[in-house]
Amino acid sequence: MVLYKPSSPVGVYISAARLEGPFEHRPAAAAYILQGIAQRLSRTEQAELDAD
């Protein structure tokens, strides 16, 4: 069973987190991608808290 395609956005995030594929030899690129995700999630969480 396939849960995600490696080329999908979630597949890229998983590859970055696991340092696989294109991120295997580029940990700084993985960190950059994951930092962006963390910032977006933080802003979303803050917006939800502000809405309450």
Side-chain angles (χ1 to χ4, degrees), residues 2-31:
V2 176
L3 298 176
Y4 63 90
K5 292 181 180 181
S7 61
S8 70
V10 74
V12 172
Y13 304 150
I14 291 170
S15 292
R18 296 180 72 180
L19 295 175
E20 296 178 337
F23 301 103
E24 183 176 1
H25 300 290
R26 297 173 55 203

Side-chain angles (χ1 to χ4, degrees), residues 16-51:
R18 296 180 72 180
L19 295 175
E20 296 178 337
F23 301 103
E24 183 176 1
H25 300 290
R26 297 173 55 203
Y32 180 79
I33 296 264
L34 296 172
Q35 181 181 25
I37 295 166
Q39 289 173 345
R40 279 180 268 161
L41 290 172
S42 180
R43 284 193 301 264
T44 299
E45 181 180 4
Q46 188 60 45
E48 289 174 356
L49 291 173
D50 291 345

